[in-house]
Amino acid sequence: MFADWLRRLTAPRFQTRYLQQTDIPALLALEHAKWEPNQAATESMLRQRIAAYPTLCIGSFCLQSGKALASTFMRPVNPAIFTAPTRWDVTANLPAACELHSDTRALFGISLSSTNAAAADDLYRFFYPRALKAGWRDVYLGSPMPGFRRARECKPDLPAWEYVHSKKRGRSGEPLDPQLRYYFRKGFRQIVSIQENYFPHEPSLDFGVILHGVIPLSRPKRFWQGTPLPLIESLSSMLFRFIR
């Protein structure tokens, strides 16, 4: 009886895998649970992302209900675009990705949606071994800075750059903003640029921060491309420690 209880306690509660077109209804429910109507992806946007880059669209689903608990969408990107003013809708534009050279090793995280922290963590566990196998190296993303509006209420003339670079007291090197701190702990520690009118997000006053992270252990590209995926997957627990 104890063994059965322990087995149920430790059994996976969700499945993480590449997304399919049949997942659209569950993904739409997740989008509307997580985002405001003007922020959530539409059905056509989700279908386009999955069709364009099926191995860069990942989701975690509840094994019992089939409910989508977390999802992430990525696309190849030219990092040079982040040195100039840009917006999320421009950066996430899939047709622009088709114009890139095929040898790019950089990705842009279009979105990360989650209602379950453990399921979101499993997206990273699933993705990193496959990213090594595929030869990806750099990941860029645009993060909101949801504490900025409250900080401006206390200090109306607070510059965005000063807030973004503010550190949390008692935590060495960690950003003050909670969302930037979350990504910092996931390995996105380089601030590339601060973008005004980046994404409609009232707590961030519509600002966004472009962050950069490097896939752990990605430098020996040819080594990983010649290594069977099951062997790389067996190292996933070790790899995940590098990004926590």
Side-chain angles (χ1 to χ4, degrees):
M1 182 177 296
F2 176 78
D4 291 340
W5 174 83
L6 183 62
R7 189 179 302 111
R8 289 195 299 270
L9 182 66
T10 58
R13 293 170 294 169
F14 42 78
Q15 177 192 38
T16 301
R17 54 174 174 78
Y18 292 127
L19 295 174
Q20 305 170 6
Q21 296 289 344
T22 53
D23 296 321
I24 296 296
L27 293 171
L28 285 172
L30 174 62
E31 287 285 319
H32 291 290
K34 178 66 178 179
W35 305 105
E36 297 296 327
N38 64 332
Q39 300 170 339
T42 64
E43 179 178 347
S44 62
M45 292 168 66
L46 295 176
R47 291 193 182 280
Q48 185 184 38
R49 294 173 189 174
I50 295 172
Y53 300 105
T55 60
L56 297 178
C57 303
I58 305 166
S60 291
F61 298 84
C62 176
L63 285 173
Q64 293 183 330
S65 67
K67 180 180 178 181
L69 303 176
S71 69
T72 188
F73 299 87
M74 292 167 281
R75 53 149 282 196
V77 71
N78 182 346
I81 68 173
F82 300 121
T83 60
T86 189
R87 303 191 314 270
W88 173 85
D89 57 345
V90 174
T91 310
N93 182 27
L94 291 180
C98 299
E99 301 171 2
L100 294 171
H101 297 294
S102 59
D103 60 351
T104 181
R105 297 184 64 191
L107 295 172
F108 174 69
I110 296 174
S111 69
L112 172 64
S113 303
S114 171
T115 56
N116 183 295
D121 282 348
D122 213 51
L123 297 178
Y124 291 91
R125 291 188 180 96
F126 182 91
F127 171 67
Y128 274 95
R130 288 161 177 81
L132 290 175
K133 179 67 176 175
W136 300 114
R137 182 179 184 274
D138 301 285
V139 182
Y140 295 82
L141 58 85
S143 172
M145 33 197 271
F148 188 43
R149 182 183 62 183
R150 181 173 296 180
R152 272 273 181 93
E153 290 172 353
C154 299
K155 187 178 178 182
D157 59 347
L158 177 67
W161 64 265
E162 181 178 331
Y163 174 76
V164 168
H165 290 278
S166 297
K167 306 300 181 184
K168 185 174 176 63
R169 184 176 301 174
R171 303 286 297 198
S172 176
E174 292 192 348
L176 177 65
D177 185 86
Q179 190 65 34
L180 297 180
R181 187 162 63 249
Y182 169 82
Y183 283 123
F184 182 92
R185 293 173 180 176
K186 297 301 181 186
F188 294 90
R189 300 188 174 186
Q190 180 186 359
I191 297 171
V192 178
S193 59
I194 301 170
Q195 303 286 341
E196 191 173 3
N197 297 319
Y198 178 74
F199 187 76
H201 191 252
E202 188 177 347
S204 304
L205 299 180
D206 296 344
F207 276 84
V209 183
I210 304 298
L211 302 174
H212 170 236
V214 177
I215 308 258
L217 306 179
S218 60
R219 189 161 296 279
K221 177 182 176 182
R222 293 183 180 178
F223 171 79
W224 293 115
Q225 289 180 323
T227 304
L229 180 60
L231 180 58
I232 303 176
E233 286 184 299
S234 69
L235 303 174
S236 60
S237 295
M238 181 190 71
L239 294 173
F240 193 65
R241 294 192 188 102
F242 284 88
I243 60 170
R244 288 188 66 86

